[in-house]
């Protein structure tokens, strides 16, 4: 359980640095991330390097005993570089070009820009790669942020065509698999293929999907090129990238494959995230000062999988931020709670954004551990408290040294391509796959279950309950592994609804899954809010939202619930249940609870806003709710942190004797 901080020495007088470093250590901070936006100071003019200031900053931090994470500066190219190659600016879907003057103003497909990135990274890595205090490198910053991916530039078009040629080999093959006979879209050569923007009506969905696959690969290769340079000069350092919450622009599993990262790190802004994602107004209001209780947990669990067990929070909100429509001050206690929450989910390190609030420029309204006058902020004081508690607790210290969090008993499959396919063809306004996945996730957590979020390609053996909130195209062998599994499965709507080429499977949805679940989807009922098919399951009555399938069942399938117009709502065979609709919260609860009980899992109904998470022998409880509540600890619990009664924003942890 280590703490870190993001620090920008270039933004402060050098006279402050040593004192900053000393105070960081005093606070309990072990790691400091620097330099990720400092290109204009590293290289003020083309080829003119100024490393001495960074040498002194690194030395000052290292002398204080801090471990350093160095960021490559490629998210903020300096103006002289943009002026020398204006084509490096990214192009939006409407054909206009982003301007410089903020950050991320580069086209990820620009080969000249990529060469510039590798040049600065190489020089930087040569200089600091063997520095003993530099323990990790972060590439760029939040790849894909600010909607700069995809870029619709000329470079993107050329590289997309080359990507298609590699994938399809011949243009005839592409024409056949894309179904370009439709609307006379047939191509005579790969270089005739345009980017799928600015079309009068929908572009071909497989064209859009392949463009998203291509862009995902571009993000991955942009990072990978830098990592290859960094590993040459810094073979012992951890390679990182700071991912974002609720972010699906690229396939993070593919990004992290082949040793491209050593630890998955991500940036956690729970209050702002709660404000900007698709939650009900009621939830947004209820959790305005705490963040929704599952918002950070969802990404902790996702990034634990992406990092194959190793994850950090690289940027943790430590007070009000500046980028949501409203940015309330967190309830007192939340900054401390978020640290324990991350650790409970297996984080090795929680690093705060940022050391000190900057009184100038874009983020002057964004808090840090210190106020602009250099006194600890309210959040900074909570971090100090958490650091002291951890240092004093043998149980927490032992937990911190215990390695990655053990496997949970419940797995939830999350698939990036499914997100893209359902975005490309929503078919029902409001159908968002990630939101549905989050609905399933929160329902499981409200029942006090720990969840691993996993890829559809992961080894799922050993889990007791496997939840698939929807999986557009089934990976080869997926149906067989469902059939042979000894777990209970809950499979959501639209699973097996498409082939990998974005077509309806020949045998109709759910495609290959028909060998496990003998039914087929005849028609899809896209539901406007006034259409509310009703069903009752396990004594719970509720409605379908957004989406329902009319399914024709065959022998061997049990119908567990029907809608009021007789269409099956929940069907099952043996250990596999299928939901033919997106249900309301009460029905999702009934569906998942039945499966959890059949899986032999202990289900506890937690009070509103209360969450638990086990790591090793310690169980943590967190109260995001507005009123005091009791942690669901057994009578013989030995509390290693806090106590059974939890006020708002309070946390406790115990070992069962
Ligand atoms: C992140 C970003 C940081 C900072 C922060 C503010 O998205 O990586 O540089 O801008 O947001 O919340």
């Amino acid at each position: 359980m280590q703490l870190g901080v993001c620090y920008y020495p270039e933004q402060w007088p050098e006279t402050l640095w040593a004192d900053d470093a000393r105070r960081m250590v005093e606070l309990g901070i072990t790691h400091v991330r620097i330099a990720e936006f400092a290109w204009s100071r590293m290289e003020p003019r083309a080829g003119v390097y100024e490393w001495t200031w960074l040498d002194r900053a690194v030395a000052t931090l290292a002398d204080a005993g801090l471990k350093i994470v160095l960021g490559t500066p490629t998210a903020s190219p300096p103006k002289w570089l943009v002026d020398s190659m204006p084509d490096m600016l990214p192009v939006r879907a409407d054909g206009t070009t982003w301007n410089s003057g903020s950050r991320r103003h580069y086209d990820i497909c620009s080969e000249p820009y990529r060469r510039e990135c590798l040049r600065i990274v190489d020089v930087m890595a040569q200089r600091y790669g063997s520095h003993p205090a530099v323990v990790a490198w972060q590439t760029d910053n939040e790849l894909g942020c600010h909607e700069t991916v995809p870029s619709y530039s000329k470079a993107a078009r050329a590289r997309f065509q080359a990507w298609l040629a590699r994938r399809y080999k011949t243009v005839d093959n592409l024409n056949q698999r894309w179904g370009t006979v439709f609307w006379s879209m047939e191509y005579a050569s790969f270089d005739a293929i345009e980017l799928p923007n600015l079309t009068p009506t929908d572009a071909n969905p497989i064209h859009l999907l392949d463009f998203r696959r291509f862009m995902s690969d571009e993000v991955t290769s942009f990072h990978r090129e830098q990592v290859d340079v960094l590993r040459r000069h810094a073979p012992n350092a951890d390679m990182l990238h700071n991912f974002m919450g609720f972010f699906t622009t690229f396939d993070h599993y593919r990004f992290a494959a082949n040793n491209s990262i050593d630890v998955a790190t991500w940036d956690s802004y729970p209050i702002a995230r709660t404000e900007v994602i698709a939650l009900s107004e009621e939830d947004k209001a209820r959790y305005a000062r705490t963040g929704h209780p599952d918002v950070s947990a969802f990404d902790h669990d996702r990034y634990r999988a992406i990092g194959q067990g190793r994850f950090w929070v690289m940027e943790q909100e430590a007070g009000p931020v500046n980028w949501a429509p409203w940015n309330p001050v967190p309830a007192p206690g939340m900054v401390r709670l978020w640290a324990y929450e991350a650790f409970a989910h297996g984080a090795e390190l929680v690093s705060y954004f940022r050391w000190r609030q900057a009184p100038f420029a874009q983020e002057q309204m964004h808090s840090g551990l210190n106020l602009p006058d250099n006194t600890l902020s309210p959040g900074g004081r909570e971090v100090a408290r958490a650091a002291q508690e951890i240092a004093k607790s043998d149980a927490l210290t032992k937990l911190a040294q215990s390695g990655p969090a053990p496997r949970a008993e419940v797995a939830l499959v999350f698939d990036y391509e499914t997100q893209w396919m359902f975005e490309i063809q929503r078919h029902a306004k409001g159908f968002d796959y990630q939101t549905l996945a989050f609905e399933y996730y929160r329902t499981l957590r409200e029942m006090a279950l720990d969840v691993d979020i996993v890829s559809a390609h992961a080894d799922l053996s050993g889990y007791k309950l496997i939840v698939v909130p929807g999986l557009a195209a089934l990976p080869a062998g997926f149906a067989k592994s469902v059939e042979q599994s000894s777990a209970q499965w809950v499979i959501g709507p639209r699973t097996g609804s498409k082939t990998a080429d974005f077509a309806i499977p020949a045998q109709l949805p759910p495609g290959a899954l028909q060998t496990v679940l003998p039914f087929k989807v005849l028609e899809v009922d896209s539901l406007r809010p006034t259409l509310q098919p009703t069903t009752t399951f396990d004594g719970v009555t509720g409605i379908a939202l957004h989406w329902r399938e009319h399914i024709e069942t065959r022998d061997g399938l049990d119908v567990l619930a029907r809608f009021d117009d007789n269409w099956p709502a929940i069907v099952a065979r043996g250990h596999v249940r299928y939901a033919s609709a997106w249900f309301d919260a009460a029905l999702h609860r009934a569906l998942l609870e039945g499966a959890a009980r059949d899986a032999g899992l202990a289900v506890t109904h937690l009070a509103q806003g209360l969450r638990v998470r086990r790591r090793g022998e310690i169980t943590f409880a967190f109260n995001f709710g507005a009123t005091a509540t009791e942690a669901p600890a057994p009578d013989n619990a030995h509390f290693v942190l806090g106590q059974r009664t939890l006020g708002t924003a309070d946390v406790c942890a115990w070992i069962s004797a």
Side-chain angles (χ1 to χ4, degrees), residues 238-256:
D238 279 332
M239 295 299 145
L240 321 173
H241 176 71
N242 58 334
F243 302 112
M244 286 176 278
F246 276 75
F247 191 75
T248 54
T249 294
F250 57 91
D251 185 330
H252 290 53
Y253 303 119
R254 281 172 64 92
F255 183 103

mmCIF file of all heavy atoms in Angstrom, residues 238-256:
data_model
loop_
_atom_site.group_PDB
_atom_site.id
_atom_site.type_symbol
_atom_site.label_atom_id
_atom_site.label_comp_id
_atom_site.label_asym_id
_atom_site.label_seq_id
_atom_site.Cartn_x
_atom_site.Cartn_y
_atom_site.Cartn_z
ATOM 1 N N ASP A 238 9.637 -0.532 -14.735
ATOM 2 C CA ASP A 238 8.283 -0.939 -15.118
ATOM 3 C C ASP A 238 7.772 -0.009 -16.215
ATOM 4 O O ASP A 238 7.958 1.209 -16.140
ATOM 5 C CB ASP A 238 7.333 -0.853 -13.915
ATOM 6 C CG ASP A 238 7.457 -2.068 -13.007
ATOM 7 O OD1 ASP A 238 7.826 -3.154 -13.510
ATOM 8 O OD2 ASP A 238 7.176 -1.933 -11.802
ATOM 9 N N MET A 239 7.113 -0.583 -17.197
ATOM 10 C CA MET A 239 6.505 0.200 -18.274
ATOM 11 C C MET A 239 5.019 0.388 -17.969
ATOM 12 O O MET A 239 4.310 -0.576 -17.668
ATOM 13 C CB MET A 239 6.676 -0.511 -19.620
ATOM 14 C CG MET A 239 8.123 -0.614 -20.038
ATOM 15 S SD MET A 239 8.882 1.033 -20.232
ATOM 16 C CE MET A 239 10.545 0.681 -19.671
ATOM 17 N N LEU A 240 4.574 1.633 -18.070
ATOM 18 C CA LEU A 240 3.215 1.977 -17.669
ATOM 19 C C LEU A 240 2.559 2.861 -18.732
ATOM 20 O O LEU A 240 3.229 3.506 -19.529
ATOM 21 C CB LEU A 240 3.210 2.796 -16.371
ATOM 22 C CG LEU A 240 4.177 2.451 -15.253
ATOM 23 C CD1 LEU A 240 4.089 3.527 -14.170
ATOM 24 C CD2 LEU A 240 3.829 1.100 -14.661
ATOM 25 N N HIS A 241 1.255 2.882 -18.667
ATOM 26 C CA HIS A 241 0.507 3.957 -19.316
ATOM 27 C C HIS A 241 -0.670 4.261 -18.393
ATOM 28 O O HIS A 241 -1.220 3.340 -17.790
ATOM 29 C CB HIS A 241 0.017 3.575 -20.712
ATOM 30 C CG HIS A 241 -0.827 4.663 -21.291
ATOM 31 N ND1 HIS A 241 -0.286 5.858 -21.696
ATOM 32 C CD2 HIS A 241 -2.163 4.790 -21.434
ATOM 33 C CE1 HIS A 241 -1.260 6.650 -22.089
ATOM 34 N NE2 HIS A 241 -2.410 6.040 -21.941
ATOM 35 N N ASN A 242 -1.052 5.519 -18.289
ATOM 36 C CA ASN A 242 -2.193 5.837 -17.409
ATOM 37 C C ASN A 242 -3.500 5.826 -18.198
ATOM 38 O O ASN A 242 -3.786 6.715 -18.984
ATOM 39 C CB ASN A 242 -1.974 7.169 -16.671
ATOM 40 C CG ASN A 242 -1.754 8.352 -17.586
ATOM 41 O OD1 ASN A 242 -1.289 8.210 -18.715
ATOM 42 N ND2 ASN A 242 -2.112 9.536 -17.119
ATOM 43 N N PHE A 243 -4.274 4.760 -17.992
ATOM 44 C CA PHE A 243 -5.566 4.598 -18.663
ATOM 45 C C PHE A 243 -6.624 5.445 -17.959
ATOM 46 O O PHE A 243 -6.395 5.981 -16.879
ATOM 47 C CB PHE A 243 -5.987 3.133 -18.640
ATOM 48 C CG PHE A 243 -5.004 2.187 -19.281
ATOM 49 C CD1 PHE A 243 -4.295 1.266 -18.515
ATOM 50 C CD2 PHE A 243 -4.788 2.207 -20.650
ATOM 51 C CE1 PHE A 243 -3.397 0.374 -19.099
ATOM 52 C CE2 PHE A 243 -3.898 1.325 -21.244
ATOM 53 C CZ PHE A 243 -3.198 0.406 -20.468
ATOM 54 N N MET A 244 -7.813 5.478 -18.570
ATOM 55 C CA MET A 244 -8.900 6.298 -18.007
ATOM 56 C C MET A 244 -10.071 5.446 -17.543
ATOM 57 O O MET A 244 -10.204 4.292 -17.935
ATOM 58 C CB MET A 244 -9.377 7.286 -19.064
ATOM 59 C CG MET A 244 -8.396 8.414 -19.288
ATOM 60 S SD MET A 244 -8.940 9.500 -20.616
ATOM 61 C CE MET A 244 -8.382 8.581 -22.020
ATOM 62 N N GLY A 245 -10.944 6.056 -16.773
ATOM 63 C CA GLY A 245 -12.151 5.380 -16.304
ATOM 64 C C GLY A 245 -13.230 5.369 -17.379
ATOM 65 O O GLY A 245 -13.358 6.334 -18.136
ATOM 66 N N PHE A 246 -13.980 4.278 -17.452
ATOM 67 C CA PHE A 246 -15.110 4.169 -18.390
ATOM 68 C C PHE A 246 -14.691 4.503 -19.814
ATOM 69 O O PHE A 246 -15.446 5.115 -20.555
ATOM 70 C CB PHE A 246 -16.270 5.087 -17.953
ATOM 71 C CG PHE A 246 -17.135 4.436 -16.915
ATOM 72 C CD1 PHE A 246 -16.698 4.315 -15.617
ATOM 73 C CD2 PHE A 246 -18.382 3.920 -17.239
ATOM 74 C CE1 PHE A 246 -17.475 3.690 -14.656
ATOM 75 C CE2 PHE A 246 -19.167 3.297 -16.280
ATOM 76 C CZ PHE A 246 -18.718 3.184 -14.989
ATOM 77 N N PHE A 247 -13.496 4.095 -20.199
ATOM 78 C CA PHE A 247 -12.966 4.519 -21.490
ATOM 79 C C PHE A 247 -12.771 3.310 -22.400
ATOM 80 O O PHE A 247 -12.050 2.386 -22.057
ATOM 81 C CB PHE A 247 -11.640 5.257 -21.291
ATOM 82 C CG PHE A 247 -11.166 5.957 -22.527
ATOM 83 C CD1 PHE A 247 -11.773 7.129 -22.944
ATOM 84 C CD2 PHE A 247 -10.144 5.428 -23.283
ATOM 85 C CE1 PHE A 247 -11.353 7.768 -24.098
ATOM 86 C CE2 PHE A 247 -9.717 6.062 -24.442
ATOM 87 C CZ PHE A 247 -10.320 7.238 -24.840
ATOM 88 N N THR A 248 -13.405 3.338 -23.562
ATOM 89 C CA THR A 248 -13.434 2.140 -24.408
ATOM 90 C C THR A 248 -12.972 2.396 -25.843
ATOM 91 O O THR A 248 -13.242 1.587 -26.729
ATOM 92 C CB THR A 248 -14.875 1.580 -24.446
ATOM 93 O OG1 THR A 248 -15.753 2.629 -24.862
ATOM 94 C CG2 THR A 248 -15.313 1.075 -23.086
ATOM 95 N N THR A 249 -12.287 3.512 -26.073
ATOM 96 C CA THR A 249 -11.886 3.843 -27.441
ATOM 97 C C THR A 249 -10.919 2.822 -28.037
ATOM 98 O O THR A 249 -10.856 2.644 -29.243
ATOM 99 C CB THR A 249 -11.282 5.262 -27.466
ATOM 100 O OG1 THR A 249 -12.338 6.171 -27.153
ATOM 101 C CG2 THR A 249 -10.694 5.634 -28.802
ATOM 102 N N PHE A 250 -10.108 2.187 -27.176
ATOM 103 C CA PHE A 250 -9.229 1.131 -27.700
ATOM 104 C C PHE A 250 -9.378 -0.107 -26.834
ATOM 105 O O PHE A 250 -9.888 -0.038 -25.708
ATOM 106 C CB PHE A 250 -7.775 1.593 -27.821
ATOM 107 C CG PHE A 250 -7.160 2.096 -26.546
ATOM 108 C CD1 PHE A 250 -6.483 1.240 -25.684
ATOM 109 C CD2 PHE A 250 -7.253 3.442 -26.202
ATOM 110 C CE1 PHE A 250 -5.916 1.708 -24.513
ATOM 111 C CE2 PHE A 250 -6.689 3.923 -25.027
ATOM 112 C CZ PHE A 250 -6.023 3.050 -24.179
ATOM 113 N N ASP A 251 -8.945 -1.227 -27.400
ATOM 114 C CA ASP A 251 -9.080 -2.504 -26.708
ATOM 115 C C ASP A 251 -7.917 -2.645 -25.719
ATOM 116 O O ASP A 251 -6.770 -2.907 -26.117
ATOM 117 C CB ASP A 251 -9.070 -3.645 -27.727
ATOM 118 C CG ASP A 251 -9.320 -4.994 -27.062
ATOM 119 O OD1 ASP A 251 -8.944 -5.171 -25.877
ATOM 120 O OD2 ASP A 251 -9.892 -5.870 -27.728
ATOM 121 N N HIS A 252 -8.202 -2.443 -24.450
ATOM 122 C CA HIS A 252 -7.141 -2.418 -23.447
ATOM 123 C C HIS A 252 -6.489 -3.782 -23.246
ATOM 124 O O HIS A 252 -5.329 -3.861 -22.854
ATOM 125 C CB HIS A 252 -7.689 -1.893 -22.117
ATOM 126 C CG HIS A 252 -8.035 -0.434 -22.141
ATOM 127 N ND1 HIS A 252 -8.868 0.126 -23.078
ATOM 128 C CD2 HIS A 252 -7.652 0.593 -21.334
ATOM 129 C CE1 HIS A 252 -8.981 1.427 -22.846
ATOM 130 N NE2 HIS A 252 -8.261 1.729 -21.794
ATOM 131 N N TYR A 253 -7.220 -4.850 -23.499
ATOM 132 C CA TYR A 253 -6.584 -6.177 -23.376
ATOM 133 C C TYR A 253 -5.505 -6.336 -24.442
ATOM 134 O O TYR A 253 -4.405 -6.819 -24.171
ATOM 135 C CB TYR A 253 -7.608 -7.307 -23.554
ATOM 136 C CG TYR A 253 -8.789 -7.287 -22.614
ATOM 137 C CD1 TYR A 253 -10.082 -7.170 -23.121
ATOM 138 C CD2 TYR A 253 -8.629 -7.421 -21.234
ATOM 139 C CE1 TYR A 253 -11.188 -7.179 -22.285
ATOM 140 C CE2 TYR A 253 -9.730 -7.420 -20.391
ATOM 141 C CZ TYR A 253 -11.005 -7.297 -20.924
ATOM 142 O OH TYR A 253 -12.094 -7.307 -20.092
ATOM 143 N N ARG A 254 -5.855 -5.941 -25.672
ATOM 144 C CA ARG A 254 -4.864 -6.048 -26.747
ATOM 145 C C ARG A 254 -3.698 -5.091 -26.518
ATOM 146 O O ARG A 254 -2.538 -5.407 -26.795
ATOM 147 C CB ARG A 254 -5.517 -5.754 -28.106
ATOM 148 C CG ARG A 254 -6.302 -6.940 -28.641
ATOM 149 C CD ARG A 254 -7.095 -6.544 -29.882
ATOM 150 N NE ARG A 254 -6.252 -6.145 -31.003
ATOM 151 C CZ ARG A 254 -5.827 -6.974 -31.957
ATOM 152 N NH1 ARG A 254 -6.162 -8.239 -31.913
ATOM 153 N NH2 ARG A 254 -5.082 -6.536 -32.946
ATOM 154 N N PHE A 255 -4.003 -3.907 -26.007
ATOM 155 C CA PHE A 255 -2.967 -2.914 -25.702
ATOM 156 C C PHE A 255 -1.932 -3.495 -24.743
ATOM 157 O O PHE A 255 -0.732 -3.313 -24.903
ATOM 158 C CB PHE A 255 -3.638 -1.687 -25.082
ATOM 159 C CG PHE A 255 -2.726 -0.529 -24.770
ATOM 160 C CD1 PHE A 255 -2.705 0.579 -25.594
ATOM 161 C CD2 PHE A 255 -1.906 -0.527 -23.645
ATOM 162 C CE1 PHE A 255 -1.875 1.670 -25.305
ATOM 163 C CE2 PHE A 255 -1.076 0.540 -23.349
ATOM 164 C CZ PHE A 255 -1.062 1.647 -24.184
ATOM 165 N N ALA A 256 -2.447 -4.212 -23.730
ATOM 166 C CA ALA A 256 -1.562 -4.690 -22.657
ATOM 167 C C ALA A 256 -0.864 -6.001 -23.001
ATOM 168 O O ALA A 256 0.017 -6.439 -22.267
ATOM 169 C CB ALA A 256 -2.377 -4.872 -21.378
#
